[in-house]
Amino acid sequence: MERVKKILRERRESGTFRALMPLTKRDAGIISFQDKRFIDFSSNDYLGLSGHPRLIDASREALNRYGTSSSASRLLSGDLDICHTLEEKIAAFKDKEAALVYNSGYQANLGIISALCKKGDAVFFDRLCHASIIDGILLSGCRSFRFRHNDMNHLESLLQSQRRNFKNAIIITETIFSMDGDKALLGELVGLKEKYNAMMLVDEAHATGIFGSNGSGVAQEMGLNNKIDLVMGTFGKALGSFGAYLAGTKEMIEYLVNASRSFIYSTALPPAVIAANIEALDIVRDEPERRERLLENSQYFRDGLRAKGYDIRGESQIIPLIIGDAKKAIAISEAFKEQGYWALPIRPPTVPANESRIRFSLTFYHTKEVLTKLIDDADRILKI
Ligand SMILES: *Cc1c(COP(=O)(O)O)cnc(C)c1O
């Protein structure tokens, strides 16, 4: 098709072409690509749980007991009892009445938003929200308003000017923004939600397992779980597994079981995955030092780069180094690769034009020694 050729050509010319890079090995934060080893700064295995013996054992046991597949949608015969165990644990973890497991965060956002928002409703969402949130809004077909990142005045002016035009309003934000590593202003958002009688959905994909005294997320850290209607998050990042969840009222979960198409029309997660998810929640409870160390090291890394004069945003384990031009970001990423760091360029359309960046995703495996060397190497690479 002519369009296909044209788009591929444009992508190549503008430095935004993407290609897959098959790895031959992944072990304890080290990956192998084309016979070379790299320290991985691109994974979301924040707590290092993907290789944790307890997760592996739990998976293996479920595999032996239930086989490899759930073999059907939850509404048919795919509804294993362990999935309910997992949902009860999530509800307690999030201090909510009930929870629902989705097959991935992408499917969760698609299924939740499209089931909740209908014609006549309006969605207000942060400009930096993840593609899965945007796709959920598009699928819902309702009107949507994008507010400038963490700009509460902008959000309020939109709510104010639209308040006579919608039946229901829903405010959506991530709690830790995936490309900038900063936090949402949850307290202010809850204030506006209450003032304008809106609902609120937060995406804790990058916060689950890391923030809050029990590792539940930023909503818990700020004492706002009971003020936020819907809290979603994933098992594929800090929890070292796969899948996603939504926590909310019992009524809301009953509704989604009946109305959320990405939940209804998809085979349930494999039992080995469900079992690993359960175990991951127990490890978050049992080993708080993992998240404490991660946040401490993230601060150390940010401070180190700032001391060298770089302007570093954020307050999480996601640390962006803004480069600007997409092609320059590629060249810098290549220089990092030559030094043994797998730190990839993030380019438009994932981030705004002229905000291409190297995004460092810190994990349990990045010790202070590794980070100290990286700070020096980064400074050298960026000065070239
Ligand atoms: C990764 C991510 C998702 C998607 O989750 P998956 O389980 O990987 O599909 C959703 N929202 C945000 C903010 C994410 O970063």
Side-chain angles (χ1 to χ4, degrees):
M1 224 199 293
E2 205 42 53
R3 187 185 334 121
V4 171
K5 286 192 178 61
K6 179 166 170 278
I7 287 174
L8 288 175
R9 193 172 55 239
E10 285 170 0
R11 285 276 174 125
R12 286 197 169 90
E13 282 165 4
S14 64
T16 57
F17 182 78
R18 296 160 175 200
L20 296 169
M21 296 170 284
L23 308 179
T24 47
K25 195 160 183 247
R26 150 190 301 288
D27 182 32
I30 304 290
I31 54 178
S32 302
F33 176 66
Q34 294 177 345
D35 296 329
K36 285 200 204 81
R37 285 158 52 85
F38 299 89
I39 305 175
D40 186 5
F41 280 93
S42 290
S43 98
N44 304 314
D45 191 13
Y46 299 128
L47 301 176
L49 297 193
S50 76
H52 198 295
R54 277 176 59 184
L55 259 75
I56 295 170
D57 285 348
S59 271
R60 215 176 255 140
E61 229 167 85
L63 207 49
N64 289 338
R65 174 154 178 209
Y66 299 97
T68 50
S69 174
S70 285
S71 302
S73 158
R74 295 275 303 278
L75 288 168
L76 301 174
S77 60
D79 189 27
L80 295 173
D81 56 355
I82 50 173
C83 206
H84 292 262
T85 308
L86 175 59
E87 287 170 342
E88 278 159 29
K89 269 184 180 287
I90 284 287
F93 186 53
K94 292 280 167 184
D95 201 13
K96 289 281 180 199
E97 274 175 31
L100 187 65
V101 168
Y102 279 85
N103 288 359
S104 72
Y106 185 84
Q107 288 190 38
N109 279 332
L110 231 61
I112 296 160
I113 300 168
S114 62
L116 278 181
C117 306
K118 298 291 175 191
K119 228 174 157 192
D121 297 341
V123 178
F124 298 84
F125 66 104
D126 190 286
R127 175 172 175 265
L128 295 191
C129 277
H130 192 258
S132 56
I133 294 172
I134 293 166
D135 292 358
I137 296 168
L138 288 175
L139 184 60
S140 80
C142 76
R143 292 199 311 146
S144 63
F145 301 91
R146 197 168 73 154
F147 56 93
R148 286 189 291 272
H149 179 51
N150 273 348
D151 185 337
M152 297 300 110
N153 291 329
H154 189 208
L155 170 59
E156 178 150 27
S157 75
L158 290 170
L159 284 162
Q160 181 69 38
S161 66
Q162 294 299 323
R163 68 188 311 175
R164 279 184 197 81
N165 301 334
F166 55 74
K167 280 196 225 125
N168 306 292
I170 176 164
I171 298 171
I172 308 180
T173 187
E174 296 179 25
T175 58
I176 296 292
F177 285 90
S178 60
M179 294 300 142
D180 287 59
D182 57 345
K183 274 184 199 170
L185 306 173
L186 284 191
E188 283 90 332
L189 286 165
V190 164
L192 288 175
K193 158 205 138 67
E194 289 177 345
K195 184 169 172 189
Y196 291 91
N197 199 21
M199 278 186 53
M200 189 162 155
L201 163 66
V202 301
D203 180 333
E204 300 242 52
H206 295 277
T208 308
I210 298 169
F211 289 87
S213 58
N214 70 349
S216 143
V218 178
Q220 191 252 350
E221 180 181 50
M222 302 182 82
L224 293 172
N225 268 335
N226 63 348
K227 301 261 184 193
I228 297 171
D229 309 271
L230 302 158
V231 184
M232 70 77 67
T234 62
F235 295 107
K237 289 173 177 154
L239 298 178
S241 180
F242 190 66
Y245 64 82
L246 174 75
T249 61
K250 195 161 169 289
E251 179 184 65
M252 186 58 76
I253 300 304
E254 278 175 351
Y255 172 69
L256 291 172
V257 167
N258 284 275
S260 195
R261 293 166 66 86
S262 70
F263 172 83
I264 299 168
Y265 296 104
S266 194
T267 301
L269 285 178
V273 171
I274 298 168
N277 294 349
I278 293 173
E279 199 63 24
L281 291 175
D282 288 344
I283 296 172
V284 167
R285 180 196 61 211
D286 297 343
E287 301 181 11
E289 60 280 6
R290 285 179 183 262
R291 59 179 176 272
E292 287 158 11
R293 203 209 298 174
L294 177 67
L295 290 177
E296 192 189 299
N297 285 349
S298 302
Q299 187 63 42
Y300 175 80
F301 186 55
R302 262 193 309 275
D303 287 346
L305 288 171
R306 282 175 185 151
K308 301 263 186 205
Y310 299 101
D311 183 17
I312 304 295
R313 338 179 151 164
E315 42 188 326
S316 68
Q317 73 286 2
I318 297 164
I319 297 162
L321 195 55
I322 308 290
I323 306 296
D325 177 63
K327 285 182 177 156
K328 192 170 171 205
I330 294 174
I332 288 173
S333 169
E334 284 303 319
F336 275 112
K337 263 195 199 154
E338 273 165 33
Q339 301 294 314
Y341 301 107
W342 194 268
L344 300 185
I346 310 285
R347 296 160 280 169
T350 308
V351 293
N354 291 318
E355 283 206 22
S356 289
R357 63 196 67 185
I358 308 293
R359 173 179 178 273
F360 292 99
S361 219
L362 265 49
T363 72
F364 174 76
Y365 299 109
H366 302 129
T367 59
K368 281 220 170 66
E369 294 69 60
V370 167
L371 296 174
T372 305
K373 182 164 183 306
L374 173 57
I375 292 164
D376 288 337
D377 287 342
D379 192 36
R380 210 167 331 108
I381 287 167
L382 289 162
K383 287 217 164 82
I384 291 169

